[in-house]
Amino acid sequence: MERILSFEDVKAAADKAYAAYSKDKEGAEDPRVAGRNSGKFGIAIRLADGRKYDVGDTQAQYPLGAISKLPVVAQLLTQMPVTELIQKMGLEYKKKKCSSSADGSQACKCKPKGVHAHSLRALSLVQPTGDLDGKMDILSNMLISMMGESPVFDDALFKQAMADAEKKDVVNVVADAGFELYDDTEISVSLSSRLRSMLASSEQVATLGATIAADGVNPVTKQIAFDGANSQSILSIMAARGPKGYRHGWLMMTGVPAISSFGGGFLAIVPGFGAIAAFGPLLYKDGIPVAASQAVKSILSSLGLSAFSSARVEVK
């Protein structure tokens, strides 16, 4: 079964969403980036075949935040099969829940609260082990391959992230919980802070998403970023994790994997179709961009897009 859309349909859906949400004033900016992009809003669409449509402030740069997890997953799936990644990430089925003994003699090895524990574990798996700069080079190259351009490193934001990690005593919190990492915790914390402090535009983020939608081929540069067989696993992880605090509701409403950034970016990917990236700095209390997420949902609804639909969508 096949469903046909016109590119004019795509543009009309984006224009409708922009008109509906560009003036939305609900929410508040994250204190870490307050004032950086106040009042800006944009929507960037990249199709898997390279066509694009942008409306609004699509060149405004914002921190990648959690969106930086996507090149990390792509790199890890380049290093190892998904079954091994599941096992090393501790995502396999467990019969018993984690607990610690009352006297504290047995450390709890569950995810410690208040830190990006699973992100740190994923980063600790990136090769080469014990080499912060080597890991960063590998992930930067993956980012550039997927986006087609280099993101911008925000040194001030990085220093703030590192100061926050020190304030939260992340290294000792992870150690005290007995949470297993595969490399030095300080390296993983620094790497996480660096990636989350990378700035990119909605145009770049949409291209990154479209590369996943196009089975690892960057639709703009036409270069292969990663093995296309890994796109399915990347999208599955996106669907399972979802936008922070919103994953179940979002997936039930849209049927489309998505991820967001504390900087105001929101990305949804429809395999075979492409990606929609929207940006607006105002956030809900749980960190989801208000206008950006609503605009993406509006476009998906207008076009009838879903990753779980039985109908293959083609854009003429």
Side-chain angles (χ1 to χ4, degrees):
M1 185 176 176
E2 189 171 76
R3 195 162 63 83
I4 305 297
L5 293 173
S6 72
F7 193 57
E8 293 304 314
D9 293 330
V10 175
K11 294 193 288 186
D15 289 340
K16 175 185 173 183
Y18 182 81
Y21 297 104
S22 60
K23 303 301 181 182
D24 198 318
K25 301 300 181 183
E26 183 180 358
E29 295 181 49
D30 188 290
R32 290 169 286 184
V33 291
R36 183 189 295 263
N37 286 305
S38 299
K40 293 185 178 181
F41 180 75
I43 301 170
I45 298 178
R46 294 292 180 273
L47 301 188
D49 63 10
R51 283 178 288 175
K52 64 179 183 178
Y53 186 64
D54 302 320
V55 56
D57 301 305
T58 58
Q59 294 186 4
Q61 294 182 320
Y62 51 85
L64 284 175
I67 296 172
S68 65
K69 294 178 182 179
L70 299 181
V72 175
V73 174
Q75 177 59 34
L76 290 177
L77 291 170
T78 299
Q79 293 179 195
M80 66 189 75
V82 67
T83 51
E84 182 180 351
L85 180 58
I86 290 171
Q87 187 274 323
K88 288 189 173 180
M89 286 296 296
L91 301 176
E92 71 276 15
Y93 175 74
K94 297 182 180 67
K95 291 184 179 180
K96 295 182 179 180
K97 292 185 178 180
C98 174
S99 61
S100 57
S101 56
D103 62 2
S105 60
Q106 183 178 354
C108 174
K109 295 189 177 182
C110 281
K111 173 185 174 183
K113 295 181 179 180
V115 303
H116 300 292
H118 280 113
S119 293
L120 294 178
R121 180 178 280 172
L123 290 167
S124 75
L125 283 168
V126 175
Q127 297 295 325
T129 302
D131 184 352
L132 173 59
D133 290 336
K135 286 175 181 274
M136 192 64 206
D137 285 344
I138 289 289
L139 294 175
S140 294
N141 289 337
M142 179 62 77
L143 254 176
I144 294 169
S145 295
M146 296 173 74
M147 293 198 308
E149 299 176 352
S150 176
V152 175
F153 178 65
D154 188 317
D155 186 61
L157 195 59
F158 166 70
K159 290 177 179 177
Q160 183 180 358
M162 290 297 290
D164 289 343
E166 184 176 355
K167 183 178 180 180
K168 292 178 180 178
D169 199 18
V170 173
V171 173
N172 288 323
V173 167
V174 170
D176 291 344
F179 190 74
E180 183 180 16
L181 299 183
Y182 300 90
D183 203 348
D184 183 79
T185 305
E186 292 184 356
I187 288 179
S188 298
V189 170
S190 181
L191 191 57
S192 175
S193 298
R194 290 189 189 193
L195 288 171
R196 295 174 70 87
S197 301
M198 289 288 186
L199 307 182
S201 68
S202 294
E203 294 181 14
Q204 292 173 309
V205 170
T207 301
L208 182 152
T211 299
I212 299 172
D215 292 333
V217 178
N218 186 310
V220 177
T221 66
K222 307 304 180 184
Q223 299 297 308
I224 297 174
F226 56 83
D227 187 340
N230 293 333
S231 280
Q232 178 178 324
S233 295
I234 296 171
L235 288 165
S236 296
I237 292 171
M238 280 185 68
R241 301 301 297 173
K244 180 182 178 182
Y246 191 25
R247 64 177 182 264
H248 296 138
W250 172 265
L251 196 61
M252 289 174 68
M253 285 188 294
T254 67
V256 175
I259 194 167
S260 66
S261 161
F262 70 87
F266 195 90
L267 172 66
I269 303 174
V270 181
F273 169 82
I276 306 167
F279 167 71
L282 300 179
L283 315 176
Y284 290 114
K285 289 183 179 180
D286 60 5
I288 302 296
V290 180
S293 63
Q294 293 301 315
V296 171
K297 185 170 71 172
S298 171
I299 294 170
L300 294 172
S301 177
S302 294
L303 298 177
L305 296 173
S306 170
F308 301 111
S309 174
S310 61
R312 179 179 175 82
V313 176
E314 181 179 353
V315 181
K316 291 291 190 180

